[in-house]
Amino acid sequence: MTAFASSRPARRTAYVPSAALVPEVLKGNVLAVARMISRAEAGYAEAAEALAEIYRHGGKAHVLGITGVPGAGKSTLVAALIRAFAADGHKVGVVAVDPSSPFSGGAILGDRVRMSEAAQSCQAFVRSMATRGHLGGLARATLQAVDVLDASGYSPIIIETVGVGQDEVEVVTAAHTIVVLSAPGLGDDIQAIKAGILEIADIHAVSKSDRPDASATVAALRGMMSLGPARPGSDWQTPVLPVSSLSGERVEELKDAISGHWDHISGELRERERSIGRTRILGTARQLFQDRFKRDTDELESHVQAVADRTMDPAAAACLLLGWDNEVLA
């Protein structure tokens, strides 16, 4: 569809209450899905009840996390996986978390540019969102966006993290299957071994497999995996798969490994959901606490001054803000 500019001002449509969007989201209405995700990202209080209702209709989708260092080719791989899963009849959703623009605070839409062709040809839903200062590789509203896509019938839902380095492990608490993508030539073997994101992998993929140094990276990772299961208490043997997202070489094998892991964890899925739920509760509590004092800074600032003057310690100040007795620290 081609868009044409018009000299007439655009007509502003009436605001549709979030509660009225819920039935449309459940029907898979793409416009309703996009609006609801936008409201989650903006943090509209009016949307809170609707998002809670949507959450109760979810829990069916396979959530797949794609992470790895910048330059590994995550977006290109996601585009290849969209095509592979869509060819099997899946309705694919993608939440691509981008770095925040230092000027606008919005997402730098490199991911959407790379994935647009695959998404349009396969009728996938791709949404980019900015981290907006949130650490850990995800955006604040990432999991609410996953809830909306889940309730709309998308599965798998792919979360592509921002790609920031060793501490980007939050995705492990948000997804059922984690693919860590490495690229040849991005660092020596010792650096790879100590990188925290490698320890969370259910599947290792090595991109740009046509490069001559890719085999060395594959061999190093397989050597690490031979030491034992990456996940404590799991008998899943983490595979290491070389892929070429551009040529499509072995992408089908990676897709089958992802599906195989989903089947493998069916017996422990409830415990994984409990782990995800626990993390979401704690993360929401932390965010609500921070938001409260961003809106009303007077109480916070009085304690900030006391801590700065060394008349109160930070732990005591935090307890006062929470309404707790200092004895909880004992």
Side-chain angles (χ1 to χ4, degrees):
M1 180 180 295
T2 305
F4 295 93
S6 172
S7 59
R8 293 180 297 177
R11 293 178 59 187
R12 298 187 65 182
T13 58
Y15 184 86
V16 179
S18 296
L21 291 178
V22 173
E24 295 303 311
V25 167
L26 299 181
K27 292 176 186 175
N29 183 308
V30 174
L31 181 58
V33 168
R35 284 180 173 175
M36 189 59 72
I37 291 176
S38 293
R39 293 178 190 187
E41 194 173 7
Y44 286 179
E46 183 269 343
E49 189 174 338
L51 287 166
E53 177 65 19
I54 285 170
Y55 179 83
R56 288 190 284 271
H57 284 86
K60 306 176 185 69
H62 180 192
V63 182
L64 168 64
I66 306 288
T67 189
V69 297
K74 295 188 298 296
S75 298
T76 309
L77 178 63
V78 170
L81 287 173
I82 288 173
R83 295 187 183 95
F85 278 109
D88 284 350
H90 292 274
K91 183 180 175 183
V92 184
V94 178
V95 181
V97 185
D98 281 331
S100 297
S101 164
F103 302 104
S104 67
I108 301 171
L109 299 178
D111 290 319
R112 186 176 293 181
V113 171
R114 293 187 186 97
M115 298 175 200
S116 59
E117 182 181 345
Q120 290 172 7
S121 64
C122 302
Q123 296 185 324
F125 186 100
V126 176
R127 179 61 176 255
S128 289
M129 58 176 57
T131 55
R132 299 186 181 182
H134 188 91
L135 301 178
L138 301 183
R140 173 180 172 181
T142 300
L143 300 187
Q144 288 179 315
V146 170
D147 293 339
V148 175
L149 292 170
D150 184 358
S152 302
Y154 288 91
S155 184
I157 300 169
I158 301 172
I159 302 174
E160 183 201 334
T161 70
V162 67
V164 294
Q166 290 179 205
D167 60 350
E168 188 189 294
V169 296
E170 189 177 33
V171 71
V172 76
T173 65
H176 303 113
T177 302
I178 307 297
V179 176
V180 173
L181 184 65
S182 303
L186 289 183
D188 59 26
D189 295 345
I190 300 301
Q191 179 65 24
I193 290 171
K194 75 175 185 179
I197 57 172
L198 293 183
E199 299 169 6
I200 67 173
D202 295 304
I203 298 168
H204 280 292
V206 177
S207 62
K208 308 171 187 177
S209 61
D210 52 330
R211 285 178 43 169
D213 50 350
S215 58
T217 304
V218 171
L221 288 170
R222 284 177 176 165
M224 292 166 56
M225 294 301 102
S226 67
L227 300 177
R231 294 283 189 94
S234 174
D235 60 352
W236 171 257
Q237 296 299 313
T238 305
V240 180
L241 304 174
V243 296
S244 175
S245 304
L246 289 177
S247 69
E249 181 182 357
R250 302 188 75 170
V251 171
E252 191 72 18
E253 185 178 348
L254 175 59
K255 183 209 71 176
D256 290 342
I258 292 168
S259 299
H261 181 261
W262 177 241
D263 293 337
H264 181 84
I265 65 170
S266 59
E268 60 185 71
L269 197 57
R270 189 164 186 82
E271 186 54 39
R272 290 214 177 197
E273 290 289 354
R274 283 175 55 84
S275 177
I276 292 170
R278 184 180 300 110
T279 301
R280 293 189 65 170
I281 292 169
L282 294 174
T284 301
R286 182 169 57 248
Q287 191 64 55
L288 290 172
F289 176 77
Q290 292 173 341
D291 287 350
R292 174 188 168 187
F293 296 106
K294 284 179 182 177
R295 292 191 300 268
D296 182 10
T297 60
D298 291 345
E299 185 180 2
L300 173 63
E301 289 304 318
S302 66
H303 294 307
V304 168
Q305 190 58 53
V307 170
D309 293 339
R310 304 280 172 166
T311 59
M312 182 183 296
D313 68 277
C319 284
L320 286 171
L321 289 174
L322 287 167
W324 290 355
D325 191 289
N326 277 351
E327 292 179 2
V328 301
L329 298 177

